[in-house]
Amino acid sequence: MTLTGLFIPLITPFDAGGAVALDSLEALARRMLEAGASGLVALGTTGEPSSLTEAERQAVVDVAAIVCREHDAKLIVGAGTPQALEDLRGRGEVHAALTVVPPFVRPGEAGTIAYLTQLAANSPVPLVIYHVPYRTGQALSASALTRLGSLPGVVGVKYAAGITEDAIELMAALPPHFAVLGGDDLFISPLLALGAQGGILASAHLATEQFVALIDAWHTGDVATARALGHRLARLSRALFAEPNPTVIKAALHAQGLIPTPAVRLPLLPAGHHSLTALDVLIPA
């Protein structure tokens, strides 16, 4: 299985009573895929999974699975523990699990590799490693990611570590069938220029078609189009991440009438009005 193109880590919309708005989630998922996204990510960080009940998490996955099946799209589900991965057994519509590098513990590269190797060996679905060191506190070198990418149960990495020497080294010698999907929205264009296969981009809830076009432009060698789009979408991403994710994205979707409320659950707080105002000139018509 090769992962390529745009994947959108779905927000979880809430209704006026605070419940998960499943109808809005379904409509939003359809909108993203009809705009050209290759697939969806359910229960990623953008979906606030830690604030959902087990029943809510299952309902979110069920909705995403239905829509992906309708559109012949790939579904990735956030799952970072042995039990969460085991819960995906028998769910044939799930193509891979997005598995974060162990946060907070900071076990070092050797411990991280050993842990993820064990998870991959026992998982019922392939893993996409989520490398986001500014959240987990655990950096991984290009050589560590290459080792993980060589495992038969690992198909890719969501790379959210900016553009560094490690990123350049990783892109220069990727293992076969190992996809690099950019996950640091601000840096997606330069990572695609280095050869990334696609992105898992929360910003693509807005301007979905333009993010699809950005990936296509780099893949087809249309550098002039890619550069112009990349600069424009980087400004959009910066504005969407002006406050903790996904607060500004939810505010923007609500302002467009795509979700019933801009609500988030604690410990997040709703985005301020100033953040939404700053988006007015950045969101394509």
Side-chain angles (χ1 to χ4, degrees):
M1 176 182 66
T2 302
L3 297 173
T4 186
L6 174 65
F7 292 80
I8 299 183
L10 289 169
I11 60 109
T12 302
F14 301 119
D15 64 23
V20 176
L22 293 175
D23 288 347
S24 295
L25 177 65
E26 184 174 346
L28 189 64
R30 283 203 178 90
R31 180 184 178 91
M32 302 294 101
L33 293 181
E34 289 168 2
S38 298
L40 304 173
V41 178
L43 305 183
T45 307
T46 305
E48 304 173 69
S50 63
S51 72
L52 303 179
T53 66
E54 179 59 29
E56 288 172 332
R57 287 192 289 269
Q58 290 302 316
V60 165
V61 174
D62 289 342
V63 167
I66 289 169
V67 177
C68 282
R69 189 162 54 245
E70 288 175 355
H71 291 78
D72 194 25
K74 290 183 170 61
L75 174 61
I76 300 173
V77 176
T81 65
Q83 184 57 58
L85 289 167
E86 186 59 31
D87 290 343
L88 299 178
R89 190 175 298 279
R91 299 203 68 148
E93 68 275 18
V94 178
H95 287 75
L98 182 63
T99 302
V100 71
V101 170
F104 192 76
V105 181
R106 300 179 67 184
E109 280 198 347
T112 299
I113 292 170
Y115 175 73
L116 293 173
T117 298
Q118 184 179 69
L119 284 186
N122 296 322
S123 174
V125 297
L127 304 187
V128 174
I129 305 301
Y130 186 7
H131 180 42
V132 55
Y134 68 87
R135 286 185 183 270
T136 66
Q138 178 62 62
L140 292 179
S141 65
S143 61
L145 288 171
T146 300
R147 285 181 61 187
L148 288 167
S150 299
L151 297 173
V154 175
V155 293
V157 59
K158 179 181 178 181
Y159 193 86
I163 303 297
T164 64
E165 291 182 9
D166 276 316
I168 295 169
E169 183 181 345
L170 174 66
M171 296 306 305
L174 291 178
H177 312 298
F178 180 64
V180 174
L181 302 173
D184 199 337
D185 296 29
L186 190 62
F187 297 104
I188 185 58
S189 189
L191 195 63
L192 289 165
L194 288 172
Q197 284 78 5
I200 298 176
L201 305 172
S203 300
H205 281 84
L206 290 303
T208 309
E209 295 91 343
Q210 285 77 12
F211 278 99
V212 171
L214 174 67
I215 294 171
D216 289 345
W218 279 120
H219 285 176
T220 59
D222 185 355
V223 176
T225 297
R227 282 178 176 168
L229 268 175
H231 290 312
R232 185 160 67 249
L233 292 174
R235 292 192 291 272
L236 174 61
S237 293
R238 185 167 56 243
L240 289 170
F241 280 82
E243 298 188 53
N245 183 46
T247 61
V248 182
I249 292 171
K250 280 190 160 184
L253 292 173
H254 174 61
Q256 292 185 341
L258 297 175
I259 58 175
T261 74
V264 290
R265 288 181 178 172
L266 290 171
L268 295 173
L269 295 173
H273 179 72
H274 61 283
S275 294
L276 190 58
T277 302
L279 285 171
D280 288 344
V281 298
L282 296 174
I283 299 176

